[in-house]
Amino acid sequence: MIKSDLEIAHASKMRPISEIASKLGIAHDDLRPYGKYVAKLPLKLIDQEKLKGKKLILVTAITPTKSGEGKTTVSIGLSEGLNILGVKTAVVLREPSLGPVFGMKGGAAGGGYSQVLPMESINLHFTGDFAAVEKAHNLLSALLDNHIHSQKNTLNIDPRKIIWKRVMDMNERALRDIVIGLGGSAQGIPRESGFDITAASEVMAALCLSNDLMDLKEKLGNIIIGYTYQDEPVRAHQLKAQGAMAALMKHTIMPNLVQTIEGNPAIIHGGPFANIAQGSNSIIATKMGLSLADFVVTEAGFASDLGGEKFLDLKCQYGNLKPDVAVIVATIRALKSHAGMPYEELKNPNSQAVKDGLPNLDKHIENMKHFMLTPVVAINKFATDSEEEINAVLAHCDKMGVKVALSEGWEKGGNGCLDLAQTVKEAAESGMSNFTPLYHFDWSIEQKIETVARKIYGAAEVEYSVKAKQQIKLFNKIGLDKLPICIAKTQYSLSDDPQLINKPTGFTIKIREFDIAAGAGFIIPIAGTIMRMPGLPSKPAAENIDIDAEGNITGLF
Amino acid sequence: MIKSDLEIAHASKMRPISEIASKLGIAHDDLRPYGKYVAKLPLKLIDQEKLKGKKLILVTAITPTKSGEGKTTVSIGLSEGLNILGVKTAVVLREPSLGPVFGMKGGAAGGGYSQVLPMESINLHFTGDFAAVEKAHNLLSALLDNHIHSQKNTLNIDPRKIIWKRVMDMNERALRDIVIGLGGSAQGIPRESGFDITAASEVMAALCLSNDLMDLKEKLGNIIIGYTYQDEPVRAHQLKAQGAMAALMKHTIMPNLVQTIEGNPAIIHGGPFANIAQGSNSIIATKMGLSLADFVVTEAGFASDLGGEKFLDLKCQYGNLKPDVAVIVATIRALKSHAGMPYEELKNPNSQAVKDGLPNLDKHIENMKHFMLTPVVAINKFATDSEEEINAVLAHCDKMGVKVALSEGWEKGGNGCLDLAQTVKEAAESGMSNFTPLYHFDWSIEQKIETVARKIYGAAEVEYSVKAKQQIKLFNKIGLDKLPICIAKTQYSLSDDPQLINKPTGFTIKIREFDIAAGAGFIIPIAGTIMRMPGLPSKPAAENIDIDAEGNITGLF
């Protein structure tokens, strides 16, 4: 009988958070506790001097199936393994969004024997960071509509050109496109608007790209909420919003310390998605991990073309970070799916399908080499994987001269990741990586997009809609062209078409339009039909979640 | 130079929350800390046996001006005074909503030298209770629209008869009336809807009227979200929502312990408004206070006709609570406003205006006597009050045989409330009150409304709109008529017309329509034009709020 993640989590004996903190040399008095097992960490623990010589391990993945391929699980297991090997390691992760928790995917705190604890708290509210981001975002929205209504629109904002929506941390299809301000002159100006999911909020992006509270406040003030009738950008500081927004995030800017099942430190902070935002935890959390531990294992959402590329081009350039190794998580299931096997049949052994799916893995290996990073392939082992299937991948990597190891963290915790940990440790200490971003911020918008599209996605060309072309002109005019790019596209393909599995070639990336995050500091080319607000599935996970009189939660996975 | 509330708060030396807890006999291990100065308290600390013989002091008020008359400040000062007298006292309050914090009124953590600390945390997010209520509410909304869209509306819900909206803890005029589900068949069914403020959520009401987690879950499951095409009510449990909603509130159900400026215990929990909801903190928090202290001082929002009546009829009947004294907060300013003085001139001395405003005070005294409660008038002293003005009120109360005392807690803390504390102590210990609710739940809807309207508001009659009459028929049919009532009306008049100041007579209460809170357990007759979602003023308080590099917040008051 296989235990559920929640049962395994409950069976684990947690240690007081001050014990975990002391492993990182943090004094009890520096902790801001949230219950017995969670604490926020003050920013003073970041020490630029201590970053030197530390090792940063990026965990990325091949193109995933809809279940995800277990990057978080592998990251946790790898950090347990490194700790067993005597390497002082912290795993640094994102905070889960309630959208997937109540929707389809479930929680985001790892799985099996590679989890972070307390998993229910982490998955439900945690320390309120998402709620604060949401509130800060929506305060700006309220001040904006109130400006037009009560302050007689002295900023001359064109209500048709407002780009700042509202956010909610929920899969809320019905709020994607709405009309607000109905009901007559006491209720404001009727206009079209909508909600995005909180993980896609520019406030979340700004939080994750800030170096400190004043940096965050400045970024918040620089947010562009829309344009005047004369097409001049209007920024949040013109609505005097940034002070109150930053005040709401006083504690949110502090990373959260929790523990892995084996009692090692995990730092969890920020939660942008990787298909529609930059998709990795905060610069602050990563730097704090590097200040306090010798190795930091961190993940970036979805595959190397999404979270991976954005981590390396956007976050590493903004945060002046230099990763040492890129772990590429592959699963037998996902490889078979790239050979065209239907989702329901992926548990059936089929070595030929595994082999047929390997070009996808090869492309993600190639992608990491574009950044001059040493790749290590981690095969995240599932109970349904056959030996023959696994051997096919091992043999392929050996032939290619790429380091590879099994990751059995889900089943065995850190002891299931010792090979992987040893391989990663050697690769990191070899000094063979020489991290180089793919583009420089001062390239033109088109140059940046085409570089990512051709080198990372494998596209033949990039096509811009009429609207996108007009927007590029506007960005050039108002000086937004020197910002890095954060392409929004499907996670199910290297292209912008979810149907093009494996390693597509000869395709065109179609830039439909741009969103901007001028405060957080990037522009968002939107490729294909990706949406910034998911919907619930026909059987929402929420229907199975329950709690008993003693406060035990069930149905969370 | 008068110090701001925030300056006074910052100048106060806070004690570790475990020290405050130990005054109530709570072991350190029972605390769930949120930082160093806030902790949640486990429900096991409620002990039905220990409630016997404890004294419950309700703090209500006369009809307020738009600044509020300082019930929270008086409640805190009174509890400090009682503690100085050696009476083990806890003050039990509501949590502030962000709507007023960013809008006009500012924070809700007391004022001057009668505050609860840490005031910024309490006013901004606190322990995330509002966020959890909001999320639980909106999860039900998302499941509802998803049911119609993805589950093909097997419950046969009539989209035109959905009464469950969404909530946001923000003054958001533009979200009052909206159209959702636009954008084609992938985005659901277009329909009219809107947002209420979170304080008005039925989830908040249910939290505050629950006795434990299972009671809360049952109440959440009983929420009516709308009707079928055949006019049958549809409840949250039919959408399988209540388990996940209750799981979101696992920690929310635990009351929050903080401290007063003088280091006495304050329990803060739940935050329904009193004009549009029941307006007092949770039954759980009140019972916990009574279990742990000898005296509990608690406030109910706005005047005796709103929070006061609802506290006594609704909360006390549901919670089996018996208050011992009713403190009626009066201010010289508000009395003058009831004589018709304009708001801007209220700081100018005018004894005649004070005398002319006294009928309003008399009505609130009478109201408490309707409940067989001993009233104590507390004059919340402002620096602008003249001695002659104060003497006019003292003399009037003496003539009426009503106990009265000055409350100088704003200026002097507990030492400014010793007379008041002594007076309240004697009144509580005299056993003269014999609390009796005004109506029984099993009376007819009209009987309940008319009893409150005539006895408490002083109305001559009650008039029902055609819609209201149809709703009463429906409620009788579907068995909701035995629920207590929670009338929504303006706080600025004893009537439903904000223009009718002082002690109006001969007026008609016009019931426009009903909302229902079938899960929380009441129906809401809506009188006049009251709205469940406020708007921001033309100069929102948010514009002045700021934070510096050290995390010091300014502009919060």
Side-chain angles (χ1 to χ4, degrees), chain B residues 131-154:
Chain B
V133 166
E134 188 171 310
K135 210 52 70 180
H137 184 118
N138 292 338
L139 172 61
L140 179 53
S141 314
L143 289 170
L144 165 58
D145 275 296
N146 187 59
H147 173 79
I148 296 174
H149 173 83
S150 304
Q151 299 180 333
K152 303 184 174 52
N153 199 10
T154 49

Side-chain angles (χ1 to χ4, degrees), chain B residues 43 314 317 428 462:
Chain B
L43 267 55
L314 230 163
Q317 290 198 76
V462 178

